[in-house]
Amino acid sequence: MAFTKEQLLARLQELQIGFSQYEHPVVLTVEAQAKYVGNMKGALSKNLFLKDKKQRYYIVSALANTKVDLKVLSQRLGLGKGGLRMAPEEALSEILHVPLGCVTPFALVNESARHVSLLLDKGFKSQECCFFHPLSNDMSIALNALDLDKFLNSIGKTPAYVDLEDNPTVGKDQPPDLASFVPSDAKTLADPPEKQESSQGPEKNYISVNNKPVITTGAKPAKPSNASTKEKPFGAVNMSITYADPDKFVEEILEKTRSIVLSEVKEEENVEKYREQLETIVSNKISKQLGMELKNLATIFKNTAYTEGFKAGIHQQPKRL
């Protein structure tokens, strides 16, 4: 069972952690939250939910004015420049069990999130208290770093404070300084199962030769009788399972689309202020609004190709003597 806001607040009271709470309308950004608690005693925080290419997840919790460069952070973790990206919205519900706009260190209270790595801004320690959402973005609570540590220790998560704006050189003689924060025992979300080869015979492959679909069996397609030996028309049609699976195919398109769009989020001062929030919103909107339409189209294309290939294979069966 996922923790609720009320259960979390009760847990904090059981731990004798002092905090102030402020109810307000639902907010999705730090700027919107500031309208209601910005004039209160305490610093605002921003919280990023990230994943790497191996489906390992991270929460980066920082002061609102701390600049977090994902490319630099990725290198410091030893993941390469493009190793980190915003986690998909479905991971919020499946791993953190919180809706959009509710990511905070408190989400780690859920058992499904115990393998998520947490990086805390060292700037929290210099603040009298900081604001976080308690699993719900219709409330903000303020507490100090020591009490946050007390909560994290109670769930078995050792607090780790780092300088998120540091940009150390990473090289052969200078290993990534944050590599120890990469989860080594993470439980990842399972990908859709790949199609297994039938035990009753070789899998049929539908390919195109000279613009005419034919059926072949086994791992290697048959050579056309009139094809030039110098040309290798089958190399271009040796498609991976990814393109036979609409979900994976569409995810690749969405990932490339997100990368292209987010690459346009420049480092200019007027954009940098809202960069993390903008990346989250853009990424989730692209997935939500385009995902279903693209999956339907990909499924239609795949089914049509299979149908046409099957018909062509029947018509081209050799005559029996």
Side-chain angles (χ1 to χ4, degrees):
M1 293 293 291
F3 266 66
T4 64
K5 173 179 65 177
E6 291 73 22
Q7 289 173 324
L8 174 64
L9 297 179
R11 170 69 69 84
L12 295 178
Q13 292 174 346
E14 289 174 6
L15 294 171
Q16 296 183 341
I17 291 176
F19 62 91
S20 301
Q21 66 183 63
Y22 306 89
E23 295 185 356
H24 51 67
V26 171
V27 294
L28 292 175
T29 65
V30 176
E31 290 71 28
Q33 182 188 26
K35 295 179 181 179
Y36 303 101
V37 297
N39 61 337
M40 306 292 183
K41 181 180 66 174
L44 297 175
S45 67
K46 59 184 177 184
N47 299 269
L48 308 178
F49 188 37
L50 310 171
K51 73 168 185 175
D52 62 25
K53 293 180 180 179
K54 293 186 177 181
Q55 304 295 315
R56 295 171 297 201
Y57 292 85
Y58 309 77
I59 288 178
V60 176
S61 188
L63 292 172
N65 59 359
T66 296
K67 292 184 178 181
V68 181
D69 188 320
L70 294 188
K71 290 182 179 179
V72 173
L73 183 59
S74 181
Q75 285 187 301
R76 294 178 66 188
L77 288 165
L79 305 174
K81 288 185 178 180
L84 281 179
R85 63 197 70 184
M86 303 303 294
E89 188 172 349
E90 55 266 25
L92 289 173
S93 58
E94 293 185 40
I95 296 179
L96 300 186
H97 293 297
V98 296
L100 187 65
C102 298
V103 177
T104 71
F106 293 120
L108 299 179
V109 70
N110 291 308
E111 183 63 32
S112 56
R114 295 298 172 87
H115 296 276
V116 175
S117 183
L118 175 65
L119 281 78
L120 298 166
D121 189 346
K122 74 172 188 177
F124 286 147
K125 289 192 171 185
S126 62
Q127 303 295 320
E128 186 173 347
C129 61
C130 298
F131 284 101
F132 300 93
H133 292 311
L135 307 181
S136 177
N137 52 357
D138 60 358
M139 176 183 287
S140 296
I141 63 173
L143 73 169
N144 60 41
L146 289 177
D147 283 326
L148 177 60
D149 292 352
K150 189 174 183 179
F151 164 76
L152 292 173
N153 284 319
S154 75
I155 61 173
K157 182 69 69 172
T158 303
Y161 292 88
V162 299
D163 184 353
L164 293 171
E165 292 187 335
D166 193 14
N167 187 7
T169 301
V170 176
K172 182 178 180 181
D173 299 323
Q174 295 170 303
D177 64 314
L178 301 181
S180 61
F181 294 104
V182 175
S184 59
D185 57 350
K187 293 180 179 179
T188 60
L189 292 180
D191 289 329
E194 295 185 355
K195 295 183 179 179
Q196 300 295 324
E197 187 173 330
S198 174
S199 59
Q200 299 181 355
E203 182 181 356
K204 292 183 177 181
N205 299 312
Y206 300 89
I207 62 175
S208 177
V209 178
N210 296 331
N211 296 322
K212 295 181 180 180
V214 298
I215 299 178
T216 66
T217 58
K220 295 182 179 180
K223 294 183 179 180
S225 58
N226 61 343
S228 171
T229 57
K230 293 182 179 180
E231 296 180 357
K232 296 181 180 180
F234 297 106
V237 294
N238 186 21
M239 301 174 73
S240 67
I241 291 297
T242 298
Y243 297 99
D245 188 320
D247 288 343
K248 288 188 176 182
F249 176 61
V250 169
E251 183 56 36
E252 284 194 14
I253 294 177
L254 292 175
E255 192 60 49
K256 291 176 181 178
T257 302
R258 285 191 290 263
S259 298
I260 292 172
V261 173
L262 295 179
S263 68
E264 297 301 316
V265 180
K266 305 298 183 182
E267 298 290 339
E268 299 173 5
E269 185 175 344
N270 60 332
V271 175
E272 179 64 25
K273 182 178 179 182
Y274 306 98
R275 187 165 180 263
E276 289 81 7
Q277 291 79 18
L278 182 59
E279 286 183 351
T280 301
I281 293 172
V282 170
S283 179
N284 289 329
K285 287 293 183 182
I286 288 175
S287 297
K288 186 174 183 180
Q289 295 183 8
L290 291 181
M292 187 57 67
E293 293 184 29
L294 288 174
K295 286 179 182 179
N296 288 338
L297 285 174
T299 301
I300 291 172
F301 291 154
K302 186 187 77 169
N303 291 341
T304 300
Y306 281 6
T307 301
E308 293 301 318
F310 180 73
K311 289 180 180 178
I314 293 176
H315 294 320
Q316 294 185 19
Q317 289 288 336
K319 295 181 179 179
R320 295 184 177 181
L321 297 178

